[in-house]
Amino acid sequence: MLAVKLTGIEQMELVDIEKPAHLAPDEVLIRIKYIGVCGSDVHYYNEGKIGSQVVEYPFMVGHECSGKIAALGSNVRNLEIGDLVVVDPSVHCGHCEQCMSGRPHTCMNNKFLGCPGQLEGCLTEYIVMPAASCFQVNDKMDAEEAALLEPFTIGVYAVKLAGNPAPDTKVAIFGAGPIGLSILMKLKADQHLQTGMVEPLGYRLEKAGEIGASWMVDPVSEDVKTAVEEAAGGLMDVVFDASGEQEAIDHALEILKPGGKLVLVGIPPSAQYVFNMDLMRRKEITVINVRRQNGCTEEAIKLVASRKVNLKQMVTHYFQLRKAAVAFDMVAGYRDDVIKAMIFV
Ligand SMILES: [Zn+2]
Ligand SMILES: [Zn+2]
């Protein structure tokens, strides 16, 4: 079967690998349908690492996928052959201290699909996953939406960790990529009234407007603090950073009100941020870190199935699996007004 592997910095090769033949009793074989190209995949493609997570070549990235069940392990009862499934890429051990305390997403033995040193990814035709990682969505959504569900769950989780901001609070999001837009969609689905977007790329800012951002600010041509305060009529209760940029953190601390929350979702290119401690301490800002997601898949499925969110709004490009390198180059270079690129198999 076909697979696409990273073979060096900004290098990717189409290879022929063996289709998985063995299933443990609790595992399923999945025929991949759609794969989303994620910002984190692109970090591995461009830099060969994210923080301490370093790629050993050749390696297959990819963790946002949907597919159809092609074979069942002997103990699997909750799925049937042909079922369309959303794949939760995070495989936890179930018995460590983190798992036992309701934090499987920070499991000490966590294995994540397409994460170096853990599990090979899903840029291929078939993968094997535990049945417990598969959510059946047969009549709830199509295969493309099912692959978009994983990034959306991160938006759902970020909003939950922020304490589900009340509809009349003031919220800003930095970064209108797939995660920033997912946060916006979740807040809109919750009837949140005052969510604005700060984003330097015009086409992304426009997309945020289409999805329903209350105000939009371009941090390059406008003074962020003045523009946000004017547009929103005051300072922010909550700021979500989905950009991973130092400047966004600087601006966020300026536009937050005392007692506000800064929610860090984006992955910075280096492992460090500098915080203006004078501002942060005086305003007594709460900083919340978001590690992927925990337990938000079912809520995300409900929001999509009930048509409260339309995840396809963020998709701009489609590629065949054999053209994966073109998709990665496009996303890495922010070319051709790309937001979310999808690969179909
Ligand atoms: Zn992702
Ligand atoms: Zn564990």
Side-chain angles (χ1 to χ4, degrees):
M1 65 178 185
L2 286 182
V4 177
K5 296 215 178 198
L6 298 186
T7 51
I9 302 281
E10 288 176 13
Q11 280 176 26
M12 224 172 208
E13 267 173 38
L14 194 64
V15 290
D16 189 24
I17 60 170
E18 219 147 293
K19 184 177 162 187
H22 176 76
L23 288 180
D26 62 344
E27 288 179 334
V28 293
L29 181 70
I30 303 164
R31 167 70 169 89
I32 300 291
K33 288 290 187 187
Y34 275 88
I35 305 149
V37 178
C38 174
S40 63
D41 299 329
V42 171
H43 277 289
Y44 290 128
Y45 178 66
N46 279 343
E47 294 140 43
K49 61 179 170 93
I50 295 179
S52 56
Q53 219 87 50
V54 182
V55 176
E56 268 185 49
Y57 302 108
F59 182 69
M60 182 161 55
V61 290
H63 57 271
E64 302 177 1
C65 62
S66 67
K68 294 221 165 169
I69 299 293
L72 300 167
S74 57
N75 277 350
V76 178
R77 301 280 173 271
N78 61 326
L79 293 165
E80 284 176 34
I81 295 203
D83 278 349
L84 174 66
V85 292
V86 163
V87 177
D88 177 353
S90 182
V91 181
H92 57 277
C93 77
H95 53 71
C96 73
E97 169 258 336
Q98 289 291 302
C99 283
M100 297 306 278
S101 62
R103 299 183 50 89
H105 64 308
T106 48
C107 168
M108 316 286 235
N109 310 302
N110 189 273
K111 286 195 164 65
F112 199 83
L113 199 59
C115 193
Q118 298 177 14
L119 297 173
E120 288 268 344
C122 61
L123 278 173
T124 184
E125 295 177 85
Y126 290 89
I127 61 167
V128 172
M129 286 296 278
S133 303
C134 298
F135 293 76
Q136 188 260 93
V137 291
N138 288 346
D139 43 8
K140 300 191 173 100
M141 63 188 75
D142 63 29
E144 183 188 347
E145 291 170 304
L148 287 161
L149 202 87
E150 194 271 343
F152 180 58
T153 58
I154 294 166
V156 172
Y157 182 53
V159 169
K160 184 179 171 191
L161 284 189
N164 294 310
D168 57 345
T169 51
K170 294 192 198 309
V171 174
I173 302 167
F174 283 76
I179 299 294
L181 295 175
S182 290
I183 294 168
L184 176 61
M185 286 183 191
K186 161 64 178 158
L187 286 165
K188 294 302 293 178
D190 287 351
Q191 317 286 326
H192 195 271
L193 303 171
Q194 302 186 60
T195 312
M197 182 66 75
V198 184
E199 162 65 56
L201 297 175
Y203 71 94
R204 293 193 173 198
L205 206 50
E206 214 168 278
K207 179 65 76 175
E210 279 167 32
I211 291 173
S214 317
W215 49 262
M216 281 95 76
V217 164
D218 168 2
V220 177
S221 66
E222 297 174 85
D223 176 73
V224 172
K225 180 155 188 287
T226 314
V228 169
E229 259 193 290
E230 200 176 284
L235 294 171
M236 300 296 108
D237 295 278
V238 181
V239 173
F240 292 92
D241 177 62
S243 74
E245 298 289 340
Q246 176 67 50
E247 296 93 87
I249 303 302
D250 297 339
H251 290 312
L253 292 176
E254 288 172 2
I255 65 171
L256 275 162
K257 64 170 70 157
K261 293 175 184 169
L262 172 58
V263 187
L264 301 178
V265 197
I267 302 175
S270 80
Q272 292 181 348
Y273 282 131
V274 174
F275 291 97
N276 178 337
M277 279 310 298
D278 185 52
L279 263 184
M280 192 151 80
R281 182 179 57 80
R282 281 174 201 281
K283 290 187 180 180
E284 208 176 52
I285 300 299
T286 301
V287 177
I288 298 169
N289 282 282
V290 178
R291 174 60 168 160
R292 296 175 181 147
Q293 66 95 14
N294 182 14
C296 290
T297 304
E298 275 171 0
E299 185 191 341
I301 289 172
K302 265 187 211 147
L303 287 169
V304 174
S306 65
R307 302 287 134 202
K308 283 189 179 152
V309 297
N310 175 9
L311 300 182
K312 289 186 191 180
Q313 282 178 286
M314 67 172 90
V315 178
T316 51
H317 294 77
Y318 297 91
F319 297 89
Q320 289 177 321
L321 180 61
R322 55 179 66 250
K323 294 277 161 67
V326 183
F328 273 61
D329 277 330
M330 180 177 281
V331 177
Y334 294 86
R335 282 206 290 275
D336 198 32
D337 290 0
V338 67
I339 299 179
K340 190 71 175 173
M342 300 300 287
I343 292 169
F344 57 91
V345 186

